[in-house]
Amino acid sequence: MTGSAPPRRSEFSSLESLRVDSVGGVSFVLRVLAQDDPGAPVVLILPAMALKAKFYLPIARALHASGLSVVTTDLRAQGESTPGLHEQPTFGYRELIEVDLPRVLAAVRTRFPGSRPYLFGHSLGGQIALLHAAAAQDGPIAGVCVIGTGTVYWKAFGFRRWAEALVKIQTIGLVARVRGYWPGGMLIGGAMPGRVMTDWARHSRTSRYRPAGTTRDYDRLLADLDLPVLAISLDDDRLGPKSNVDFLCRRMPRARLDRWHITASAGVAHRDHFAWTRDAAVIGPAVAAWIRDRRRPAPVAIPLAP
């Protein structure tokens, strides 16, 4: 009698892994695609709200195929991170930026000695990347690339969407405040911690970054940010449209900013907030070229919306 075969491991779970411990019993699993060349640039991918790190395997593979060492991680209470959302106290932007990310980056630098990692953030992951880099720009961050990352300030959306943005985002914030978490649905499909969503809703009301419990003035820090930044928007993205990305870019007047607004002419067929990973074979090499050589993706530049 033969036993059943053991379950096959997925490609993602077969990658090299590192465990990182944060405060309060929180831990993360980093997945690593390393180059043989120890001097290759290193990039850390930070996910969007309610998305798991394994969602970014296509872009991780594309960046690795273009000569970069790549590390992925989940955000707290997402994916392989532990404990789960309902097994820990609620938390907000401050914990993600000031508590968890420094420990993750310390592990990345230990794995790749002497490296100055780049941060690649999607949506919320991009906000976290920019705010952390702004606070630590004298430290070992080489630059930031963001995709689908814009302000969620309600007036940054097109005029016809002002009421929609204001009502839906503030409803999410109110539900998260009352229940202690956002259960998912309406803009954000998965469950999210309460204070992340109330921080997010406060930013949407005011345009300012005022995470609960922080002592940092993130708006001033963003204004002083002096690092290379590649900001990517997609022309079918309703959650992070070009107007919102432009608004956020104007908050970083000293950044060495490159803008790439992706349209069909870029050879990217899937251009909404999530499906762009299907075109990682196009986006990945362009991002890698920017990281390696500061080569601006075509078109070379676009003006920011007034």
Side-chain angles (χ1 to χ4, degrees):
M1 181 176 180
T2 58
S4 59
R8 294 181 60 185
R9 299 180 69 193
S10 69
E11 179 184 355
F12 183 75
S13 63
S14 298
L15 298 177
E16 175 190 344
S17 64
L18 303 171
R19 175 177 166 140
V20 177
D21 293 324
S22 188
V23 301
V26 174
S27 67
F28 303 89
V29 177
L30 309 190
R31 298 288 176 177
V32 181
L33 294 87
Q35 295 291 336
D36 292 335
D37 176 8
V42 178
V43 59
L44 171 65
I45 298 176
L46 298 173
M49 285 182 183
L51 287 183
K52 298 177 181 180
K54 66 181 181 181
F55 177 81
Y56 300 93
L57 181 58
I59 191 68
R61 285 196 309 242
L63 293 169
H64 183 253
S66 299
L68 307 186
S69 289
V70 185
V71 182
T72 69
T73 186
D74 289 290
L75 301 182
R76 185 185 288 216
Q78 295 181 190
E80 295 181 295
S81 69
T82 56
L85 174 62
H86 301 297
E87 298 166 346
Q88 60 181 302
T90 191
F91 57 89
Y93 275 46
R94 186 190 70 82
E95 287 80 4
L96 300 177
I97 300 164
E98 300 176 16
V99 178
D100 298 338
L101 187 51
R103 288 165 173 81
V104 168
L105 282 167
V108 172
R109 292 192 294 271
T110 298
R111 174 60 180 82
F112 298 97
S115 65
R116 296 183 66 232
Y118 285 81
L119 303 179
F120 180 97
H122 174 212
S123 195
L124 173 64
Q127 293 183 51
I128 292 167
L130 286 170
L131 295 173
H132 174 82
Q137 59 186 295
D138 293 332
I141 299 296
V144 181
C145 173
V146 296
I147 186 165
T149 296
T151 180
V152 289
Y153 180 45
W154 64 280
K155 286 187 177 180
F157 290 88
F159 175 76
R160 291 181 176 85
R161 297 188 62 200
W162 280 5
E164 175 195 7
L166 188 60
V167 171
K168 288 185 176 181
I169 294 174
Q170 296 314 309
T171 297
I172 291 171
L174 178 61
V175 170
R177 185 180 299 277
V178 171
R179 297 189 64 170
Y181 70 100
W182 169 246
M186 192 171 68
L187 302 182
I188 310 300
M192 288 293 297
R195 279 204 286 114
V196 168
M197 305 317 295
T198 55
D199 284 342
W200 182 71
R202 184 184 307 110
H203 169 63
S204 183
R205 288 194 306 274
T206 66
S207 86
R208 303 295 177 184
Y209 285 107
R210 294 287 188 272
T214 191
T215 59
R216 296 175 179 173
D217 183 346
Y218 279 108
D219 299 297
R220 179 186 60 79
L221 292 169
L222 271 181
D224 291 339
L225 176 64
D226 182 15
L227 284 175
V229 174
L230 174 61
I232 305 172
S233 51
L234 304 114
D235 67 351
D236 289 337
D237 188 346
R238 285 182 57 81
L239 295 179
K242 178 181 179 295
S243 61
N244 297 50
V245 178
D246 286 345
F247 188 101
L248 181 57
C249 288
R250 289 196 295 271
R251 303 289 295 275
M252 303 180 286
R254 296 186 60 191
R256 287 165 264 165
L257 178 68
D258 292 313
R259 276 287 278 116
W260 185 21
H261 183 59
I262 296 179
T263 64
S265 64
V268 175
H270 304 90
R271 301 185 303 279
D272 73 18
H273 194 68
F274 303 107
W276 59 268
T277 57
R278 299 181 191 175
D279 286 293
V282 178
I283 296 173
V287 171
W290 179 82
I291 288 175
R292 288 194 315 267
D293 307 318
R294 289 296 305 280
R295 191 185 312 159
R296 296 179 180 178
V300 171
I302 60 171
L304 299 184

